[in-house]
Amino acid sequence: MELSVLVDNNTFIDRYFLAEPGLSFFIQEGKKRVLFDTGYSDIFIRNAEKMMTNLRNLDYIVFSHGHVDHTWGMTHLLRMYMEARTEGITCTQPTIIGHPSVFESKILEPVGEIGSILSEEKLNKHFNIHLSKKPVWLTDKLVFLGEIERNFTFEGQTSIGKIVTDDNEYDDFVRDDSALAYKSSEGLVIIVGCAHAGICNIIEYAKKVCNEERVADVIGGFHLLNPSQEQLTKTVAYIEKLDLSTLHACHCTDFRSKVALSTVANIKEVGVGLKRNYT
């Protein structure tokens, strides 16, 4: 599997790409081509073009969750596909994968809407959609985890704004937050968006779904933004026990948390332009 970072808060050192507070990865696993999140704007497309990566022949578009910094770029991808079809340019009919709540309206005051701009109904007119709380295997080695079991009490317990439906309004604990897991020869490679479910919860659930205790790498946002001392201490202790080969914490992981994690894991640089190969 090859993973390319199309969007992150930072660019890879000495590489001339664009960055924003969002996340998007391009993944090639065998013959399957997967776009994991779309960031906030169109820069994932612009960066992909610089990397000579064609986003018009995707098999899957996977959303880690429905927040603005992971889904709003979808409007630009939809436009690119529609224009390609209009001009007779070859493109695929990718399937969107996500949790059933990924397109629900999410309100955070005083900001307002922080959920997906595009509704499931609108997107379904252009792409196939498969929403599931249960794991979905994209290949025999790569799986969308679905709804994450939350067993650690020190993480994944905080609501962010409200979910608003036609009938109700309730606290949003980001139940749609999910991740990908890849079964490499050295153990699991876990690919996360923001880890609202809790990075430790996600890793444990990935191990359960894949029936694999070894973890080789975790890449993505750990949602450690000024975490409590209890959460940080217990997360670091958990990561230490994994005996990882590498750790690629980025996006929503603050400097203090990266420093703490570096005491127990081999933290590597992450930024737009980074490519990682896993066998």
PDB file of all heavy atoms in Angstrom, residues 244-265:
ATOM      1  N   LEU A 244       5.486   0.385  18.630  1.00  0.00           N
ATOM      2  CA  LEU A 244       5.338   0.727  17.220  1.00  0.00           C
ATOM      3  C   LEU A 244       6.677   0.860  16.515  1.00  0.00           C
ATOM      4  O   LEU A 244       7.676   1.260  17.122  1.00  0.00           O
ATOM      5  CB  LEU A 244       4.615   2.072  17.090  1.00  0.00           C
ATOM      6  CG  LEU A 244       3.165   2.144  17.571  1.00  0.00           C
ATOM      7  CD1 LEU A 244       2.783   3.596  17.772  1.00  0.00           C
ATOM      8  CD2 LEU A 244       2.243   1.495  16.573  1.00  0.00           C
ATOM      9  N   SER A 245       6.679   0.591  15.207  1.00  0.00           N
ATOM     10  CA  SER A 245       7.868   0.875  14.401  1.00  0.00           C
ATOM     11  C   SER A 245       8.004   2.378  14.201  1.00  0.00           C
ATOM     12  O   SER A 245       9.079   2.949  14.337  1.00  0.00           O
ATOM     13  CB  SER A 245       7.766   0.178  13.041  1.00  0.00           C
ATOM     14  OG  SER A 245       7.674  -1.222  13.196  1.00  0.00           O
ATOM     15  N   THR A 246       6.869   3.031  13.849  1.00  0.00           N
ATOM     16  CA  THR A 246       6.844   4.482  13.641  1.00  0.00           C
ATOM     17  C   THR A 246       5.484   5.023  14.067  1.00  0.00           C
ATOM     18  O   THR A 246       4.514   4.268  14.206  1.00  0.00           O
ATOM     19  CB  THR A 246       7.081   4.855  12.162  1.00  0.00           C
ATOM     20  OG1 THR A 246       6.128   4.157  11.339  1.00  0.00           O
ATOM     21  CG2 THR A 246       8.495   4.531  11.727  1.00  0.00           C
ATOM     22  N   LEU A 247       5.427   6.341  14.228  1.00  0.00           N
ATOM     23  CA  LEU A 247       4.179   7.010  14.566  1.00  0.00           C
ATOM     24  C   LEU A 247       4.140   8.323  13.794  1.00  0.00           C
ATOM     25  O   LEU A 247       5.093   9.102  13.842  1.00  0.00           O
ATOM     26  CB  LEU A 247       4.109   7.265  16.072  1.00  0.00           C
ATOM     27  CG  LEU A 247       2.791   7.787  16.639  1.00  0.00           C
ATOM     28  CD1 LEU A 247       1.697   6.731  16.514  1.00  0.00           C
ATOM     29  CD2 LEU A 247       2.960   8.175  18.102  1.00  0.00           C
ATOM     30  N   HIS A 248       3.041   8.550  13.066  1.00  0.00           N
ATOM     31  CA  HIS A 248       2.912   9.751  12.242  1.00  0.00           C
ATOM     32  C   HIS A 248       1.710  10.567  12.712  1.00  0.00           C
ATOM     33  O   HIS A 248       0.647  10.556  12.097  1.00  0.00           O
ATOM     34  CB  HIS A 248       2.762   9.379  10.767  1.00  0.00           C
ATOM     35  CG  HIS A 248       3.999   8.824  10.146  1.00  0.00           C
ATOM     36  ND1 HIS A 248       4.371   7.502  10.270  1.00  0.00           N
ATOM     37  CD2 HIS A 248       4.959   9.418   9.400  1.00  0.00           C
ATOM     38  CE1 HIS A 248       5.506   7.298   9.611  1.00  0.00           C
ATOM     39  NE2 HIS A 248       5.882   8.450   9.078  1.00  0.00           N
ATOM     40  N   ALA A 249       1.877  11.261  13.823  1.00  0.00           N
ATOM     41  CA  ALA A 249       0.813  12.099  14.370  1.00  0.00           C
ATOM     42  C   ALA A 249       0.828  13.463  13.685  1.00  0.00           C
ATOM     43  O   ALA A 249       1.872  14.100  13.593  1.00  0.00           O
ATOM     44  CB  ALA A 249       1.007  12.257  15.873  1.00  0.00           C
ATOM     45  N   CYS A 250      -0.329  13.902  13.195  1.00  0.00           N
ATOM     46  CA  CYS A 250      -0.380  15.181  12.474  1.00  0.00           C
ATOM     47  C   CYS A 250      -1.721  15.857  12.690  1.00  0.00           C
ATOM     48  O   CYS A 250      -2.446  15.553  13.641  1.00  0.00           O
ATOM     49  CB  CYS A 250      -0.097  14.959  10.986  1.00  0.00           C
ATOM     50  SG  CYS A 250      -1.301  13.905  10.127  1.00  0.00           S
ATOM     51  N   HIS A 251      -2.038  16.800  11.816  1.00  0.00           N
ATOM     52  CA  HIS A 251      -3.315  17.518  11.773  1.00  0.00           C
ATOM     53  C   HIS A 251      -3.695  18.090  13.146  1.00  0.00           C
ATOM     54  O   HIS A 251      -3.198  19.129  13.529  1.00  0.00           O
ATOM     55  CB  HIS A 251      -4.408  16.609  11.214  1.00  0.00           C
ATOM     56  CG  HIS A 251      -5.755  17.251  11.108  1.00  0.00           C
ATOM     57  ND1 HIS A 251      -5.933  18.547  10.670  1.00  0.00           N
ATOM     58  CD2 HIS A 251      -7.002  16.778  11.413  1.00  0.00           C
ATOM     59  CE1 HIS A 251      -7.220  18.846  10.688  1.00  0.00           C
ATOM     60  NE2 HIS A 251      -7.887  17.799  11.145  1.00  0.00           N
ATOM     61  N   CYS A 252      -4.562  17.413  13.897  1.00  0.00           N
ATOM     62  CA  CYS A 252      -5.089  17.950  15.157  1.00  0.00           C
ATOM     63  C   CYS A 252      -4.331  17.418  16.368  1.00  0.00           C
ATOM     64  O   CYS A 252      -4.932  17.119  17.402  1.00  0.00           O
ATOM     65  CB  CYS A 252      -6.578  17.657  15.273  1.00  0.00           C
ATOM     66  SG  CYS A 252      -6.983  15.908  15.065  1.00  0.00           S
ATOM     67  N   THR A 253      -3.016  17.297  16.258  1.00  0.00           N
ATOM     68  CA  THR A 253      -2.173  16.858  17.365  1.00  0.00           C
ATOM     69  C   THR A 253      -1.219  18.004  17.698  1.00  0.00           C
ATOM     70  O   THR A 253      -0.404  18.393  16.858  1.00  0.00           O
ATOM     71  CB  THR A 253      -1.359  15.608  16.984  1.00  0.00           C
ATOM     72  OG1 THR A 253      -2.213  14.666  16.336  1.00  0.00           O
ATOM     73  CG2 THR A 253      -0.735  14.973  18.220  1.00  0.00           C
ATOM     74  N   ASP A 254      -1.327  18.551  18.901  1.00  0.00           N
ATOM     75  CA  ASP A 254      -0.524  19.733  19.221  1.00  0.00           C
ATOM     76  C   ASP A 254       0.923  19.364  19.582  1.00  0.00           C
ATOM     77  O   ASP A 254       1.262  18.191  19.771  1.00  0.00           O
ATOM     78  CB  ASP A 254      -1.183  20.589  20.302  1.00  0.00           C
ATOM     79  CG  ASP A 254      -1.312  19.899  21.657  1.00  0.00           C
ATOM     80  OD1 ASP A 254      -0.545  18.967  21.938  1.00  0.00           O
ATOM     81  OD2 ASP A 254      -2.188  20.316  22.441  1.00  0.00           O
ATOM     82  N   PHE A 255       1.758  20.395  19.653  1.00  0.00           N
ATOM     83  CA  PHE A 255       3.203  20.199  19.863  1.00  0.00           C
ATOM     84  C   PHE A 255       3.488  19.504  21.191  1.00  0.00           C
ATOM     85  O   PHE A 255       4.308  18.595  21.263  1.00  0.00           O
ATOM     86  CB  PHE A 255       3.925  21.542  19.802  1.00  0.00           C
ATOM     87  CG  PHE A 255       5.416  21.438  19.997  1.00  0.00           C
ATOM     88  CD1 PHE A 255       6.233  20.902  19.009  1.00  0.00           C
ATOM     89  CD2 PHE A 255       6.004  21.870  21.177  1.00  0.00           C
ATOM     90  CE1 PHE A 255       7.606  20.801  19.198  1.00  0.00           C
ATOM     91  CE2 PHE A 255       7.374  21.769  21.370  1.00  0.00           C
ATOM     92  CZ  PHE A 255       8.180  21.238  20.377  1.00  0.00           C
ATOM     93  N   ARG A 256       2.800  19.932  22.233  1.00  0.00           N
ATOM     94  CA  ARG A 256       2.991  19.318  23.558  1.00  0.00           C
ATOM     95  C   ARG A 256       2.717  17.823  23.519  1.00  0.00           C
ATOM     96  O   ARG A 256       3.471  17.018  24.081  1.00  0.00           O
ATOM     97  CB  ARG A 256       2.064  20.001  24.560  1.00  0.00           C
ATOM     98  CG  ARG A 256       1.901  19.281  25.901  1.00  0.00           C
ATOM     99  CD  ARG A 256       1.092  20.126  26.874  1.00  0.00           C
ATOM    100  NE  ARG A 256       0.585  19.353  27.983  1.00  0.00           N
ATOM    101  CZ  ARG A 256      -0.694  19.011  28.158  1.00  0.00           C
ATOM    102  NH1 ARG A 256      -1.602  19.383  27.261  1.00  0.00           N
ATOM    103  NH2 ARG A 256      -1.072  18.315  29.210  1.00  0.00           N
ATOM    104  N   SER A 257       1.678  17.435  22.812  1.00  0.00           N
ATOM    105  CA  SER A 257       1.319  16.017  22.732  1.00  0.00           C
ATOM    106  C   SER A 257       2.338  15.237  21.908  1.00  0.00           C
ATOM    107  O   SER A 257       2.690  14.103  22.243  1.00  0.00           O
ATOM    108  CB  SER A 257      -0.080  15.863  22.128  1.00  0.00           C
ATOM    109  OG  SER A 257      -1.048  16.521  22.926  1.00  0.00           O
ATOM    110  N   LYS A 258       2.816  15.849  20.815  1.00  0.00           N
ATOM    111  CA  LYS A 258       3.841  15.180  19.999  1.00  0.00           C
ATOM    112  C   LYS A 258       5.121  14.965  20.802  1.00  0.00           C
ATOM    113  O   LYS A 258       5.760  13.911  20.704  1.00  0.00           O
ATOM    114  CB  LYS A 258       4.141  16.004  18.749  1.00  0.00           C
ATOM    115  CG  LYS A 258       3.033  15.991  17.713  1.00  0.00           C
ATOM    116  CD  LYS A 258       3.416  16.837  16.503  1.00  0.00           C
ATOM    117  CE  LYS A 258       2.300  16.891  15.480  1.00  0.00           C
ATOM    118  NZ  LYS A 258       2.637  17.752  14.327  1.00  0.00           N
ATOM    119  N   VAL A 259       5.496  15.956  21.599  1.00  0.00           N
ATOM    120  CA  VAL A 259       6.696  15.820  22.440  1.00  0.00           C
ATOM    121  C   VAL A 259       6.515  14.678  23.433  1.00  0.00           C
ATOM    122  O   VAL A 259       7.416  13.845  23.628  1.00  0.00           O
ATOM    123  CB  VAL A 259       6.998  17.145  23.174  1.00  0.00           C
ATOM    124  CG1 VAL A 259       8.080  16.941  24.231  1.00  0.00           C
ATOM    125  CG2 VAL A 259       7.438  18.212  22.180  1.00  0.00           C
ATOM    126  N   ALA A 260       5.343  14.612  24.057  1.00  0.00           N
ATOM    127  CA  ALA A 260       5.076  13.538  25.019  1.00  0.00           C
ATOM    128  C   ALA A 260       5.101  12.172  24.334  1.00  0.00           C
ATOM    129  O   ALA A 260       5.696  11.217  24.850  1.00  0.00           O
ATOM    130  CB  ALA A 260       3.730  13.774  25.691  1.00  0.00           C
ATOM    131  N   LEU A 261       4.498  12.073  23.160  1.00  0.00           N
ATOM    132  CA  LEU A 261       4.482  10.810  22.419  1.00  0.00           C
ATOM    133  C   LEU A 261       5.885  10.404  21.969  1.00  0.00           C
ATOM    134  O   LEU A 261       6.202   9.209  21.887  1.00  0.00           O
ATOM    135  CB  LEU A 261       3.554  10.914  21.211  1.00  0.00           C
ATOM    136  CG  LEU A 261       2.057  10.982  21.522  1.00  0.00           C
ATOM    137  CD1 LEU A 261       1.274  11.418  20.289  1.00  0.00           C
ATOM    138  CD2 LEU A 261       1.553   9.644  22.035  1.00  0.00           C
ATOM    139  N   SER A 262       6.721  11.387  21.695  1.00  0.00           N
ATOM    140  CA  SER A 262       8.086  11.101  21.218  1.00  0.00           C
ATOM    141  C   SER A 262       8.951  10.427  22.284  1.00  0.00           C
ATOM    142  O   SER A 262       9.986   9.859  21.961  1.00  0.00           O
ATOM    143  CB  SER A 262       8.769  12.387  20.737  1.00  0.00           C
ATOM    144  OG  SER A 262       9.116  13.222  21.827  1.00  0.00           O
ATOM    145  N   THR A 263       8.517  10.476  23.536  1.00  0.00           N
ATOM    146  CA  THR A 263       9.281   9.819  24.603  1.00  0.00           C
ATOM    147  C   THR A 263       9.085   8.307  24.596  1.00  0.00           C
ATOM    148  O   THR A 263       9.867   7.580  25.214  1.00  0.00           O
ATOM    149  CB  THR A 263       8.892  10.379  25.988  1.00  0.00           C
ATOM    150  OG1 THR A 263       7.512  10.070  26.266  1.00  0.00           O
ATOM    151  CG2 THR A 263       9.101  11.880  26.053  1.00  0.00           C
ATOM    152  N   VAL A 264       8.044   7.838  23.884  1.00  0.00           N
ATOM    153  CA  VAL A 264       7.756   6.398  23.886  1.00  0.00           C
ATOM    154  C   VAL A 264       7.628   5.815  22.490  1.00  0.00           C
ATOM    155  O   VAL A 264       7.456   4.598  22.334  1.00  0.00           O
ATOM    156  CB  VAL A 264       6.461   6.093  24.676  1.00  0.00           C
ATOM    157  CG1 VAL A 264       6.617   6.507  26.130  1.00  0.00           C
ATOM    158  CG2 VAL A 264       5.247   6.773  24.039  1.00  0.00           C
ATOM    159  N   ALA A 265       7.670   6.667  21.449  1.00  0.00           N
ATOM    160  CA  ALA A 265       7.485   6.176  20.078  1.00  0.00           C
ATOM    161  C   ALA A 265       8.388   6.941  19.124  1.00  0.00           C
ATOM    162  O   ALA A 265       8.826   8.057  19.411  1.00  0.00           O
ATOM    163  CB  ALA A 265       6.022   6.329  19.643  1.00  0.00           C
TER     164      ALA A 265
END
